[in-house]
Amino acid sequence: MSTATLAKSEYEQENRSWYKRNEISITPWLFMAPAILFFMVYVIIPIFQSFEISLFEWDGLGAREYIGTDNYVELWDDPAFYTSLRNNLIWLILYLLAIPAGLFIALFLNQTVVGIRLYKSLFFFPFVISQVVVGLVFTWFYDPTFGLFNTVIGWVGLGPINVLGDPTYVTYGIIAAGLWPQTAYCMILYLTGLNAVDPEQIEAARLDGAKGWKMLWYVVVPQLKPATFIAFVVTIIGALRSFDLISVMTNGGPFGESRVLSFYMFEVALSEYGFRMGYGAAIAVVLFLIMLFFIAYFLYSMYRDERGR
Amino acid sequence: MRSILKASAVALVTSAALATGAFADGHKLSGEMKIFLDTSNPAPRATFEGIIAQFDEMHPDLKIETTIIDRDAYKTQIRNFLTANPPDVATWYAGNRMLPYVTTGLFEDVSDLWTGDLAAELASTKTAMTIDGKQWGVPYTYYQWGMYYRKDIFDELGLTVPTNWEEEKANCQKIVDSGRKCYTIGTKFLWTAAGWFDYLNLRTNGYEFHMALTAGKESWTDDRVKKTMANWRELIDMGAFIDDHTAYSWQEAIPFLVDGQATAYLMGNFAVDPIKAAGLTDDQLDFYQFPLITEGIPMAEEAPTDTLHIPSGAANKEAARAFLKFVATPDIQTSMNASLGQLPVNNKASVNTDDKFVKAGFEMLNNASALAQFFDRDAPAEMAKVGMEGFQEFMVRPDNLDQILQRLEKTRERVYK
């Protein structure tokens, strides 16, 4: 009898469903499937489609015409493209100012006084309001007739400067507006980071006579490395996809001097006078390659950190 | 509420008058009709709601569904809805602006409506509605462009309305000397600068050259274009335009006129409403035609035409055709344009003579040698964009002219191949 039972149970085991047998390895994939599906449909496949469309001349309505790399050739001597690329670089560099600015505000706010929570939330406020609102507020701030900015520089005998209408200042003016919320974002990252700073190490450093800048640079900042990394990532990405502020504040003007690549792509492909899908896609591809450089770097450093543990 | 009641009362009366005509052909419209409109500003919106209610009343079996889309958003959305979810009737613009939808077969050929009486009544815009010898829509309104100026300041400085370029410049010099600017303008969204270019070019070189240029048949580095720009430059060098105009939209430029910091505004008639709303009265604000520049060139004018079209994918084309026909009738054009404050296209329609701006525009356009649509409707979209950007740059940095014209020429070579 007993042998028979054994045989039966063995038999059953072999006949367990395919899913039951592979449960451990399959389940994670099942959970990830929806995410993978949507990531494919909305991110990965469109990337390849952009590559494809950039080889065509297409107005989005009629027939597509294959023109090879003509769009890229045209991009190569398009002055507007270089203006956008230069502005993108200025954005990338100046936007990074948000990181030290955020750090110093965080250090400043990292103390226990009455009402500190209120001050913290007030400093965080610009990040909560919409970029469109930030853009509008700064547009009025810079307004050459009634703007506060010109009133203030008028007190010291300067101006008036038409910040958003002058090709030399316009990009800097918009970046200043963008830095306001971005600084708040970096600040909040550092505030949480500061909570995790080890008080014992501070104590030890203090015993060894470290203070001021040295304390900050050699003791505090290294411990904030994870926060710095995240701040760096979000700031770089924020700089590269700057679009809403430009759209609201200047619409790319005056005469296209404040455009960045993402705005130029929108203008060429999707705006009122645009609809050159192929050319827009070519700009998108260039922007993607620039981003890819940073993304690869971020992924690599994350991978290195994971392995280091 | 009161205006709605009033409008529907008017609607009832007129529809009663029209009903007999509509039912006479013994045909009842049924089913659904979807109408997409870009008339998002208050006056045009109310106007359209009024006439649609009227049409609805005449055709009780027809269910009308109206969607009103923001005027600027409409310009990009139209491409999506024409291909994906076409309505039965959609608003758009005449001239080259409809070309992309005609060549891709998204607009229905409505030449059959352009026959008999209607063709004669709408004749003034027939060329603007014609592509490949067929008509692709029906116009419902147009409006004039010209100088809206401060009559009280002109009186104060002892100026008279200029009729030629020398007088215009002499006036402007006096205005500048009095510490004001001659013209307000806001070029943030570019097209306002194109209004100046159009008029300067129409007056310097004439309608034929202007049309050939916007159609890509003439070079932008031509000496005639340079002459137009030289005329423009005279004004710029005088300091005729307000400072920092690149920072303002056309609406934001209005306060300069209202405050008296600037004395004139080259604009379309739609600007009258906001200018009056900002505080100027009919005694202070007046209108004059853009003056003659080159002797012997007939006076052509700008008259952008707004139109209705039937998408080729429409489900209820019968109802749509009836609606287009209805909108083109003299009575409807009269009542519509009275409330729009614009000009009816139908020559049997009558103009609201209480409105001095509409009256002046009507007379001016009736005597015009030809009508241009507007730079961004006469030239294809891409050329228009690069062109208008060039004009804006020219107004700020007139020394860059050669560079700008070369850029436009390069765009021309690419766009019109």
Side-chain angles (χ1 to χ4, degrees), chain B residues 379-402:
Chain B
E382 247 184 275
M383 187 69 235
K385 170 82 181 167
V386 179
M388 298 190 312
E389 228 166 68
F391 303 149
Q392 190 201 31
E393 183 175 346
F394 175 71
M395 289 187 75
V396 182
R397 295 179 170 171
D399 291 338
N400 291 2
L401 179 64
D402 288 336

Side-chain angles (χ1 to χ4, degrees), chain B residues 201-219:
Chain B
N201 200 35
L202 283 171
R203 294 285 186 265
T204 310
N205 298 313
Y207 179 78
E208 277 71 31
F209 178 76
H210 185 67
M211 283 297 137
L213 182 70
T214 49
K217 293 184 189 115
E218 294 280 355
S219 162

Side-chain angles (χ1 to χ4, degrees), chain B residues 54-122:
Chain B
Q54 224 170 305
F55 189 73
D56 201 16
E57 203 116 350
M58 289 161 52
H59 303 282
D61 294 341
L62 187 68
K63 204 168 151 267
I64 302 179
E65 194 189 306
T66 313
T67 309
I68 295 171
I69 300 166
D70 174 74
R71 197 173 171 89
D72 283 316
Y74 191 93
K75 291 171 185 165
T76 47
Q77 283 183 21
I78 184 169
R79 303 177 75 99
N80 296 339
F81 68 66
L82 282 184
T83 43
N85 175 28
D88 299 299
V89 175
T91 52
W92 195 236
Y93 313 107
N96 230 327
R97 207 69 199 272
M98 63 180 185
L99 187 67
Y101 310 116
V102 172
T103 49
T104 49
L106 290 169
F107 276 164
E108 172 97 351
D109 170 13
V110 293
S111 304
D112 53 313
L113 296 178
W114 287 78
T115 49
D117 287 348
L118 204 58
E121 288 169 12
L122 300 177

Side-chain angles (χ1 to χ4, degrees), chain A residues 91 94-103 105 123-129 131 134 174-190 230-242 245:
Chain A
W91 268 87
L94 291 185
Y95 225 49
L96 290 175
L97 287 178
I99 298 174
L103 174 63
I105 295 176
F123 272 94
F124 188 57
F125 182 67
F127 185 70
V128 181
I129 55 179
Q131 293 264 309
V134 173
I174 302 172
I175 294 173
L179 278 176
W180 189 42
Q182 192 65 29
T183 303
Y185 193 14
C186 292
M187 178 205 78
I188 212 79
L189 290 171
Y190 278 120
I230 298 291
F232 191 65
V233 173
V234 295
T235 307
I236 291 283
I237 290 171
L240 282 174
R241 57 170 211 190
S242 52
L245 284 173

Side-chain angles (χ1 to χ4, degrees), chain A residues 213-233:
Chain A
W213 289 107
K214 284 203 159 160
M215 170 79 103
L216 178 68
W217 189 247
Y218 292 106
V219 183
V220 179
V221 170
Q223 293 193 62
L224 291 173
K225 202 181 156 223
T228 309
F229 180 70
I230 298 291
F232 191 65
V233 173

Side-chain angles (χ1 to χ4, degrees), chain B residues 44 140-144 269-270 304 306 333-334 336-344 351-352 355 358:
Chain B
Y140 64 89
T141 189
Y142 63 177
Y143 49 89
Q144 83 271 22
N269 197 55
F270 53 84
D306 291 353
Q333 293 235 325
T334 303
M336 265 181 98
N337 284 288
S339 65
L340 284 171
Q342 295 181 358
L343 297 166
V351 186
N352 178 8
D355 186 329
V358 168

Side-chain angles (χ1 to χ4, degrees), chain A residues 92-260:
Chain A
L92 266 179
I93 295 163
L94 291 185
Y95 225 49
L96 290 175
L97 287 178
I99 298 174
L103 174 63
F104 285 108
I105 295 176
L107 290 171
F108 174 66
L109 289 176
N110 189 38
Q111 44 191 319
T112 43
V113 289
V114 181
I116 190 70
R117 275 163 193 265
L118 178 70
Y119 305 140
K120 281 182 186 170
S121 30
L122 284 179
F123 272 94
F124 188 57
F125 182 67
F127 185 70
V128 181
I129 55 179
S130 148
Q131 293 264 309
V132 176
V133 177
V134 173
L136 272 180
V137 168
F138 269 82
T139 308
W140 293 328
F141 176 67
Y142 289 137
D143 189 289
T145 38
F146 60 78
L148 188 62
F149 177 73
N150 276 304
T151 314
V152 170
I153 64 169
W155 289 340
V156 289
L158 292 172
I161 302 172
N162 175 17
V163 178
L164 296 184
D166 189 313
T168 31
Y169 303 118
V170 63
T171 298
Y172 302 101
I174 302 172
I175 294 173
L179 278 176
W180 189 42
Q182 192 65 29
T183 303
Y185 193 14
C186 292
M187 178 205 78
I188 212 79
L189 290 171
Y190 278 120
L191 272 178
T192 47
L194 283 170
N195 281 335
V197 167
D198 187 355
E200 282 179 21
Q201 282 190 28
I202 304 280
E203 200 65 21
R206 195 161 281 158
L207 286 177
D208 287 342
K211 58 185 171 199
W213 289 107
K214 284 203 159 160
M215 170 79 103
L216 178 68
W217 189 247
Y218 292 106
V219 183
V220 179
V221 170
Q223 293 193 62
L224 291 173
K225 202 181 156 223
T228 309
F229 180 70
I230 298 291
F232 191 65
V233 173
V234 295
T235 307
I236 291 283
I237 290 171
L240 282 174
R241 57 170 211 190
S242 52
F243 173 86
D244 18 21
L245 284 173
I246 295 166
S247 172
V248 170
M249 294 173 74
T250 63
N251 207 25
F255 34 93
E257 282 291 325
S258 64
R259 279 193 285 237
V260 294

